[in-house]
Amino acid sequence: MVHEQIDTIDALMAHYVAGSLPEPARVLVQSHLEMKPDNRSLVNSLELLAGEALENVPEAAIADRDGRLATIFSSASPGTPPPAAARPENALFPQALRDLVGFEAEDVPWRTRLPGFREYPLDMDGCEVNLMWIRPGRALPAHTHKGMELILILDGAFNDERGRFGPGDISIADETVDHRPVAEKDRPCIAFAVSDGPVRLTGSFRQLIGDLIG
């Protein structure tokens, strides 16, 4: 996903500010900030630090300065951007996610992958991108990762060995994380996942069979 390790939310936000995330991961973070705007304070602080660092960069001469300025001034001025579409009442998806996939939660063309587990897969910018629906109380097979996986919880929640992830939370997992997410029993867990590598199933054979059949 990126060359450097991302193992904390702070590191993920730093890459977001730096503009180094692939588009699906950028949308995931932006959706997280829409759902939890209080967390934007960290992003604002990182943006301030980045601006201060930029001001301290030594000046450098621009090659063909006059030619570049002439090109800018002769180009057509951008039109007024269209107003952002109003968010539908009771919409589940944040605006950034809805803009990416092109529809709302009730319109997702789900595909059943396992009993009690549906997904809508996409491939974008070198990443595996999935919307996921997990039946209440359903456990996903224990697994680890051969890359990095980011999961944004949109509705409901799941629990694993690290704790609880509810609406607006981001789960960050890589090859160091071996987990078995279990959706909470009161409602389905709906999530948006971005990964840059496949999963590797773990756990006992007996547990795996039970989790696969749901």
Side-chain angles (χ1 to χ4, degrees):
M1 193 170 296
V2 295
H3 295 300
E4 298 81 10
Q5 178 77 3
I6 296 178
D7 54 2
T8 65
I9 294 294
D10 287 1
L12 180 62
M13 295 302 157
H15 281 280
Y16 173 76
V17 170
S20 59
L21 294 176
E23 180 64 7
R26 185 196 67 78
V27 169
L28 184 145
V29 173
Q30 187 174 340
S31 298
H32 160 76
L33 294 173
E34 286 185 45
M35 297 180 73
K36 292 197 168 184
D38 290 348
N39 290 354
R40 182 163 281 281
S41 60
L42 171 60
V43 171
N44 292 339
S45 297
L46 291 171
E47 289 173 339
L48 180 62
L49 290 173
E52 292 175 350
L54 186 61
E55 289 179 355
N56 294 325
V57 173
E59 295 181 1
I62 300 176
D64 190 22
R65 174 180 177 273
D66 292 339
R68 293 191 181 192
L69 287 174
T71 300
I72 292 172
F73 290 132
S74 64
S75 61
S77 60
T80 302
R87 185 174 185 181
E89 187 177 356
N90 300 322
L92 179 64
F93 288 177
Q95 182 70 50
L97 177 58
R98 191 164 60 254
D99 289 345
L100 180 72
V101 299
F103 42 72
E104 241 306 321
E106 62 267 21
D107 301 317
V108 178
W110 296 112
R111 304 175 187 175
T112 298
R113 184 172 181 182
L114 295 170
F117 176 59
R118 306 173 192 166
E119 68 174 4
Y120 175 69
L122 297 164
D123 289 317
M124 294 182 179
D125 207 3
C127 299
E128 295 181 9
V129 182
N130 284 281
L131 291 167
M132 302 188 301
W133 182 96
I134 310 171
R135 186 187 64 214
R138 215 279 190 216
L140 296 185
H143 62 276
T144 186
H145 304 267
K146 294 184 179 180
M148 184 175 302
E149 177 190 68
L150 306 174
I151 298 179
L152 171 67
I153 306 302
L154 301 169
D155 194 34
F158 75 69
N159 293 268
D160 65 10
E161 292 75 1
R162 300 165 298 166
R164 181 182 188 271
F165 296 87
D169 292 337
I170 298 176
S171 162
I172 302 175
D174 57 16
E175 69 276 0
T176 67
V177 175
D178 189 334
H179 61 154
R180 181 174 177 260
V182 181
E184 292 189 346
K185 295 182 178 181
D186 61 330
R187 61 192 301 125
C189 178
I190 300 175
F192 174 53
V194 179
S195 63
D196 61 3
V199 301
R200 180 174 63 83
L201 297 178
T202 59
S204 69
F205 179 75
R206 180 176 180 180
Q207 182 188 72
L208 175 61
I209 294 300
D211 289 343
L212 288 176
I213 64 177

